[in-house]
């Protein structure tokens, strides 16, 4: 049976053309027997791609990079980056490709990008490949984040390649097709800075303004306005991570976007019991990227962005630094405001609630959660019932009942709105034990657990009968020793 050719898939090559110094034209490795593991039908439709066609053999060839539409120029993107604090002037897409930009049915331009598509000139010692498990992890967690309303890259599909990938063991290989409003990173600017090309830096900044922060073009100082817009977007993003208990795990500057979307789901995980020191990544020995450090790390990364942009801020270095410092100062204010507003919402308190009353209430709650090893997500969901008068589900999570009762009495006195709480406190997140279960099954060829988990997490606020185990905390024997791996 032969299927019709694609209903014209148009991939633009704007990045490849405008920023050729940062784009190496490249092709994905041939995949002889691609097998679709998961396809995001609604996202495909948003992009103007027919899901039925994407499932066809031609569609699968597009999803692994072997079918390149006319006019497209797949490229490996160059970027630099601070990894765990150490600077590498040349990282780049070692196992990824930007296929091109797609204009969705909503008119928005988005990158279509592959991960695990073979070695590129940036591969260094890497094999250019990715395993099924880590690519499905990115798919599940990024789609869960999107459903939670948190800016993120999206996942269009994961296709098994039929190849074996050597990690600690031999694992089945896969390619993830990912969609992002762009793949510009802090590290992209660091790359232009590192090669000392100020003209390129300016062109990159113009490109970023036009794709993400158009209002900056109208500002008196467009490049400073760009920086301020990124500071604002990241302050808001990291506040949202913190509110939902997300630990990115590898917040290197090459993994921080200019758009303000979450990117590069490697050793990421959702925190179970509340503890600011939570670290899941097997390579994060010092806890640099612990849950509680994320705001400070984001600010540090933004300081690196400012450094890269200095030549665009002012010809005089001292003046440039002063402008950068002043603009970066907004991060803490914006982060604190976004986080506090989010916490009030989680507690069902109105946005205008008296900060002098709510701030100590929130701080005491966090101390209680930590001391009592309370499941973070489960607690806030259970607290909705407490707002309706049934405190038992929340109360039962604490060892120190008297301390919880005293706290709850003060909180109830502020008249929390239960309905509002159910709208912001998810019941289903991709819990670590469920993600592991789903990935292990998928690696062995059983996609059912993955599909059930996806079904739960893409409607995170909508509690459904039969999904109880997706709302439950991790089993006792799971938590403390849980580690995630980068999959590289
Ligand atoms: P990540 O930690 O996934 O953000 O990747 C950091 C850097 O390592 C990027 O330059 C990646 O392209 C590169 N990289 C990661 N895994 C591989 C691999 N298996 N083969 C080649 N390059 C890789
Ligand atoms: Mg990365």
């Amino acid at each position: 049976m032969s299927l019709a050719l694609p209903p014209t898939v148009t991939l633009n090559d704007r990045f490849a053309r405008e920023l050729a110094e940062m784009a190496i034209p490249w092709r994905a490795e041939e995949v002889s027997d691609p097998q679709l593991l998961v396809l995001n039908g609604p996202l495909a439709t948003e992009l103007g791609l027919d899901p039925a066609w994407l499932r066809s053999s031609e569609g699968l060839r597009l999803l692994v990079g072997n079918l390149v539409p006319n006019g497209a120029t797949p490229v490996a993107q160059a970027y630099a980056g601070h990894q765990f604090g150490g600077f590498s002037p040349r990282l780049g897409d070692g196992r990824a490709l930007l296929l091109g930009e797609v204009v969705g049915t909503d008119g928005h331009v988005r990158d279509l990008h592959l991960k695990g598509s073979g070695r590129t000139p940036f591969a260094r010692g890497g094999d250019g490949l990715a395993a099924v498990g880590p690519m499905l992890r990115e798919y599940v967690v990024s789609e869960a984040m999107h459903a939670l309303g948190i800016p993120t890259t999206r996942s269009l599909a994961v296709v098994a390649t039929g190849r074996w990938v050597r990690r600690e063991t031999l694992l089945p290989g896969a390619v993830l097709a990912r969609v992002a409003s762009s793949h510009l990173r802090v590290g992209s600017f660091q790359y232009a800075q590192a090669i000392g090309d100020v003209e390129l830096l300016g062109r990159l900044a113009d490109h970023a303004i036009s794709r993400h922060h158009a209002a900056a073009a109208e500002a008196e100082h467009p490049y400073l306005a760009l920086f301020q817009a990124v500071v604002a977007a990241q302050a808001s993003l990291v506040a949202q991570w913190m509110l939902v208990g997300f630990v990115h795990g590898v917040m290197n500057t090459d993994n921080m976007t200019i758009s303000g979307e979450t990117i590069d789901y490697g050793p990421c995980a959702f925190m179970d019991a509340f503890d600011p020191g939570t670290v899941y990544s097997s390579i994060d020995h010092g806890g640099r990227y612990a849950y509680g450090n994320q705001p400070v790390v984001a600010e540090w990364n933004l300081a690196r962005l400012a450094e890269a942009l200095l030549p665009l801020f002012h010809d005089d270095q001292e003046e440039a630094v002063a402008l950068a410092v002043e603009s970066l100062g907004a991060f803490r204010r914006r982060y604190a405001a976004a986080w506090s507003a989010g916490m009030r919402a989680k507690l069902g308190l109105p946005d205008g609630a008296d900060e002098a009353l709510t701030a100590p209430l929130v701080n005491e709650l966090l101390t209680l959660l930590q001391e009592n090893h309370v499941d973070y997500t489960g607690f806030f969901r259970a607290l909705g019932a407490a707002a309706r008068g049934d405190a038992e589900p929340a109360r039962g999570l604490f060892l120190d009942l008297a301390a919880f009762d005293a706290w709850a009495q003060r909180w109830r006195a502020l008249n929390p709105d239960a309905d509002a709480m159910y709208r912001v406190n998810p019941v289903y997140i991709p819990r670590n034990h469920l993600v592991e279960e789903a990935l292990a099954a998928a690696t062995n060829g059983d996609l059912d657990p993955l599909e059930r988990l996806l079904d739960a997490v893409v409607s995170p606020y909508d509690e459904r009968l039969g999904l109880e185990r997706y709302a439950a905390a991790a089993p006792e024997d799971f938590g403390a020793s849980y580690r995630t791996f980068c999959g590289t």
Side-chain angles (χ1 to χ4, degrees):
M1 181 181 77
S2 82
L3 272 144
L5 272 173
T8 60
V9 178
T10 305
L11 289 175
N12 298 324
D13 59 352
R14 181 173 172 195
F15 181 90
R17 272 185 295 105
E18 287 187 9
L19 296 155
E21 296 92 332
M22 301 179 63
I24 300 183
W26 204 252
R27 288 296 162 106
E29 209 164 274
E30 251 341 280
V31 177
S32 54
D33 184 23
Q35 299 287 337
L36 184 65
L37 297 182
V38 54
L39 177 75
N40 192 334
L43 177 60
T45 305
E46 260 178 67
L47 295 173
L49 300 172
D50 175 9
W53 178 75
L54 283 175
R55 290 176 186 279
S56 73
S57 60
E58 287 293 280
L60 293 190
R61 292 184 65 234
L62 176 82
L63 290 172
V64 296
N66 293 157
L67 182 149
V68 177
N70 281 339
T73 309
V75 294
Q77 291 180 296
Y79 49 84
H82 277 91
Q83 300 181 302
F84 290 91
F87 185 63
S88 294
R90 186 182 153 99
L91 289 171
D93 289 333
R95 57 163 169 175
L97 287 178
L98 171 64
L99 291 181
E101 300 102 15
V102 190
V103 185
T105 51
D106 55 6
H108 289 167
V109 177
R110 276 173 286 191
D111 282 3
L112 180 57
H113 177 100
L114 303 180
K115 197 160 163 180
S117 49
R119 297 188 83 239
T120 78
F122 298 109
R124 294 167 289 156
D127 60 7
L129 303 176
V132 162
M135 295 306 99
L136 289 175
R137 173 190 290 275
E138 172 152 346
Y139 188 106
V140 174
V141 182
S142 65
E143 287 307 303
M145 292 285 272
H146 175 73
L148 289 164
I150 301 177
T152 177
T153 63
R154 304 284 309 274
S155 294
L156 178 62
V158 178
V159 179
T161 61
R163 288 192 46 158
W164 292 99
V165 180
R166 186 174 292 281
R167 295 293 179 260
E168 285 83 14
T169 57
L170 281 182
L171 296 168
V175 173
L176 167 76
R178 157 167 108 182
V179 173
S181 70
S182 91
H183 284 76
L184 300 179
R185 310 143 189 267
V186 169
S188 312
F189 287 84
Q190 292 182 294
Y191 180 83
Q193 175 206 30
I195 63 171
D197 188 339
V198 178
E199 189 276 329
L200 173 63
L201 189 65
R203 212 173 339 118
L204 179 60
D206 291 337
H207 184 93
I209 289 173
S210 134
R211 283 195 72 173
H212 302 298
H213 303 292
E218 312 302 324
E220 191 181 330
H221 196 327
Y223 298 132
L224 198 60
L226 167 65
F227 177 61
Q228 290 162 349
V230 179
V231 167
Q234 286 293 341
S236 160
L237 177 67
V238 176
Q240 292 178 76
W241 289 359
M242 298 301 283
L243 290 164
V244 80
F246 176 74
V247 186
H248 182 283
V250 59
M251 288 178 71
N252 294 333
T253 56
D254 53 305
N255 291 337
M256 183 185 254
T257 58
I258 297 304
S259 63
E261 288 177 348
T262 313
I263 196 171
D264 273 1
Y265 293 85
C268 60
F270 281 77
M271 181 170 58
D272 289 307
F274 179 78
D275 180 354
T278 301
V279 174
Y280 292 113
S281 169
S282 61
I283 58 169
D284 190 0
H285 306 294
R288 180 182 173 92
Y289 300 139
Y291 168 76
N293 276 358
Q294 296 185 121
V296 173
V297 171
E299 187 186 42
W300 189 90
N301 288 349
L302 291 165
R304 305 292 78 76
L305 175 62
E307 272 167 15
L309 289 169
L310 282 182
L312 303 181
F313 288 166
H314 205 285
D315 290 337
D316 180 278
Q317 165 115 6
E318 261 178 50
E319 296 263 5
V321 170
L323 291 168
V325 168
E326 194 196 333
S327 296
L328 186 58
F331 180 85
R332 290 187 180 212
R333 291 193 300 277
R334 283 184 176 273
Y335 172 80
W339 185 81
S340 304
M343 265 296 161
R344 282 195 295 277
K346 288 177 81 66
L347 292 174
L349 305 177
D351 206 23
D354 183 0
E355 182 82 40
L357 265 168
T358 57
L361 198 67
V362 168
N363 291 335
E364 282 162 44
L365 172 63
L366 295 182
T367 304
L368 276 180
L369 292 179
Q370 187 175 356
E371 285 174 357
N372 289 266
H373 307 287
V374 175
D375 181 80
Y376 182 74
T377 304
F379 168 76
F380 281 101
R381 189 70 185 187
L383 201 61
R388 289 191 174 144
D390 176 13
E392 279 315 311
R395 191 171 187 263
L397 299 171
F398 289 80
L399 299 167
D400 186 347
L401 297 178
F404 171 76
D405 290 341
W407 180 87
Q409 197 178 7
R410 284 164 55 212
W411 167 70
R412 286 285 303 278
L414 298 174
N415 285 321
D417 177 344
D419 291 342
M421 292 176 72
Y422 286 116
R423 286 195 296 272
V424 297
N425 292 314
V427 58
Y428 309 118
I429 54 161
R431 287 180 174 276
N432 302 318
H433 63 291
L434 299 171
V435 172
E436 290 306 319
E437 171 193 85
L439 301 192
T443 299
N444 288 318
D446 175 10
L447 291 167
D448 282 358
L450 176 84
E451 283 162 11
R452 283 200 297 270
L453 176 60
L454 267 172
D455 177 51
V457 299
V458 299
S459 300
Y461 303 107
D462 174 17
E463 193 160 0
R464 283 154 283 163
L465 281 175
L467 294 186
E468 291 74 16
R469 72 184 291 265
Y470 294 89
E476 286 285 336
D477 57 354
F478 184 84
S481 61
Y482 180 59
R483 288 291 169 273
T484 54
F485 298 90
C486 262
T488 49

